[in-house]
Amino acid sequence: NLGDLNLFGPNNRRETVEDQGTHLLVCTQEPLEFGIVLDSSSSIARKDFQTGIKFLQEFLQQFEVGSGPNDVRVSIITYGKGIYPEDAFNLTTYNNKQDVIRAIGQIPHRAGLYTDTGLAIKYMHEAQLVDGVVRPGVEKIGLVITDGNSQLWKVTKQEAENARDDGINMFAIGVGVGIRDSELLNIAGDESRVTKVDNYDSLASIKESLAHKTCIKKEKPTTLPPLDEPCGLKDPADIYFVFSPSALGPDATAWTTSFISNTIDSDDLIDGFRYGVVSGSCPDDAGFDLDTYDNVDDIRARIRSYEERKLPSLVQSLAADGYTAARGARDGARKVAVIVATKDKKLADLQAEVDKLVADGVKVFIADPTGEGISVTGATTLTERSATQQSDQLITALCPSK
């Protein structure tokens, strides 16, 4: 029973087209952090272990594995009697598909006299798919391939639950008749993320079904259809991203850079679009020297300036002269401002500056890294949670025919 195990969801970004003779195979891919947990215990024959390795290599051939913002990144940990970090590699170890596949092929079969699945899941969660390494807003997947039941099944269940609670979508592949359904369900947490095969040779048969929802067959056209004119050529736009790193903090700033990268990397937003950023640390943020001020009143005034809200002042500077020829703006281009802000009780200052932009014909979007949904009159709030999803929402709004 192969089930309907689908690691890669339908909201994908990158599209590839492969000519398969009688038809075209069109596949799309979402950026992904992919952690593999592979059983290397003694219950697996060496030949079967190598079959599992080959399956992983062929499976990863289907995807754009690399270090780019829209790529899949891969880590792996094997286990048996404990874990084998000396055979592991992490998300950032390799930056291209060839090196990842080559490294997987060099992983030895340790034939451990135990099945320490829980410890391996813990290592994947806490050492590989860990905050600070994974890209903000990118989906995290954990895939466990095993043919046996862990002796400490309660530990396995708890560690898998911990991983899921931390946002890792867990999947389980059980090989052979010896593994209990309950073991696989403890790992995945849901039957839709569990699949079983009779033996290691059968793994090849599920290679495409693991990601079948991302690929569709299309008939080959006898003549190429006319290309649609890019929406930016039909309706060009000058887009500013506005954000204050000091107000957002490091995590939300990392989310913001991912959001901007995903947006400008879109094929839909290449021709006809210009981008600018209003951001930064204002000079007042830099502190001052011992001899800058000679009286307490001036020092006190400078200290109070640190408490001023930076984002409204950034928006104010954009409203003042952002969409002018001197700043690179074009006649006839749509004026767009994407303001990155988190929810705050005091939005009156920001609202006032947004009102000025709207009055000047600027289309304003609000991107919120927390996903809580800021309400600013006159602006369109991007309501999705992740950086990728909000980027997709923005792209659709700018190019609604896409």
Side-chain angles (χ1 to χ4, degrees), residues 79 101 152 193 267 280 291 352 394:
Y79 69 96
I101 289 175
L152 300 177
R193 297 193 294 272
D267 292 339
D291 58 355
L394 175 62

Side-chain angles (χ1 to χ4, degrees), residues 35 45 71-72 75 143 164 211 224 233 239 259 287 304 320 343 347 361:
D71 287 341
V72 172
S75 69
L143 175 64
R164 295 196 302 271
L224 292 176
L233 295 182
I239 304 173
F259 164 73
R304 280 199 299 268
K343 201 166 187 178
L347 290 175

Side-chain angles (χ1 to χ4, degrees), residues 38-315:
L38 182 63
D39 191 344
S40 186
S41 62
S42 60
S43 61
I44 306 169
R46 185 177 183 278
K47 173 181 174 294
D48 287 338
F49 182 81
Q50 291 303 319
T51 301
I53 290 291
K54 182 180 178 182
F55 159 74
L56 286 173
Q57 291 175 310
E58 293 178 349
F59 172 69
L60 292 174
Q61 285 285 6
Q62 301 175 99
F63 306 104
E64 295 298 326
V65 177
S67 58
N70 290 329
D71 287 341
V72 172
R73 300 196 304 176
V74 180
S75 69
I76 192 168
I77 180 68
T78 58
Y79 69 96
K81 186 174 178 57
I83 58 174
Y84 307 113
E86 64 271 27
D87 301 331
F89 60 81
N90 299 325
L91 296 176
T92 57
T93 305
Y94 302 108
N95 58 17
N96 64 74
K97 184 191 300 185
Q98 292 73 23
D99 288 346
V100 168
I101 289 175
R102 185 183 304 112
I104 289 176
Q106 294 172 348
I107 294 175
H109 180 213
R110 295 293 183 177
L113 299 175
Y114 207 70
T115 305
D116 227 334
T117 311
L119 186 60
I121 293 173
K122 178 181 175 70
Y123 184 87
M124 176 202 68
H125 171 208
E126 297 183 358
Q128 294 179 315
L129 270 61
V130 63
D131 290 346
V133 176
V134 298
R135 293 163 290 181
V138 173
E139 185 176 5
K140 298 178 289 186
I141 294 288
L143 175 64
V144 179
I145 303 176
T146 181
D147 79 334
N149 302 300
S150 51
Q151 285 81 1
L152 300 177
W153 66 268
K154 290 184 179 179
V155 174
T156 298
K157 182 178 182 180
Q158 184 61 57
E159 293 300 338
E161 184 177 325
N162 292 344
R164 295 196 302 271
D165 288 345
D166 201 25
I168 300 175
N169 292 319
M170 296 295 296
F171 292 80
I173 298 177
V175 183
V177 297
I179 188 166
R180 293 188 295 266
D181 291 345
S182 60
E183 174 86 359
L184 299 174
L185 187 58
N186 284 343
I187 294 169
D190 189 282
E191 290 183 356
S192 67
R193 297 193 294 272
V194 170
T195 197
K196 294 182 72 174
V197 293
D198 293 335
N199 51 56
Y200 276 86
D201 289 332
S202 299
L203 282 173
S205 66
I206 67 170
K207 180 182 67 176
E208 293 183 1
S209 70
L210 284 173
H212 73 279
K213 288 187 180 179
T214 63
C215 297
I216 59 173
K217 292 181 179 180
K218 287 187 176 181
E219 292 184 2
K220 295 176 67 173
T222 54
T223 58
L224 292 176
L227 295 175
D228 290 336
E229 184 180 12
C231 78
L233 295 182
K234 293 185 291 185
D235 198 5
D238 294 334
I239 304 173
Y240 275 102
F241 296 94
V242 187
F243 64 99
S244 170
S246 61
L248 291 174
D251 289 343
T253 298
W255 183 98
T256 301
T257 58
S258 177
F259 164 73
I260 295 174
S261 295
N262 287 335
T263 302
I264 65 177
D265 282 343
S266 170
D267 292 339
D268 296 332
L269 302 190
I270 295 177
D271 296 321
F273 289 86
R274 285 187 181 179
Y275 301 102
V277 169
V278 179
S279 178
S281 301
C282 299
D284 286 346
D285 290 338
F288 50 86
D289 295 328
L290 295 172
D291 58 355
T292 301
Y293 301 109
D294 59 7
N295 65 80
V296 172
D297 289 339
D298 288 345
I299 294 174
R300 187 180 294 113
R302 179 65 175 271
I303 295 298
R304 280 199 299 268
S305 74
Y306 295 152
E307 301 175 359
E308 294 176 0
R309 301 189 55 76
K310 302 301 181 186
L311 185 60
S313 65
L314 294 174
V315 179

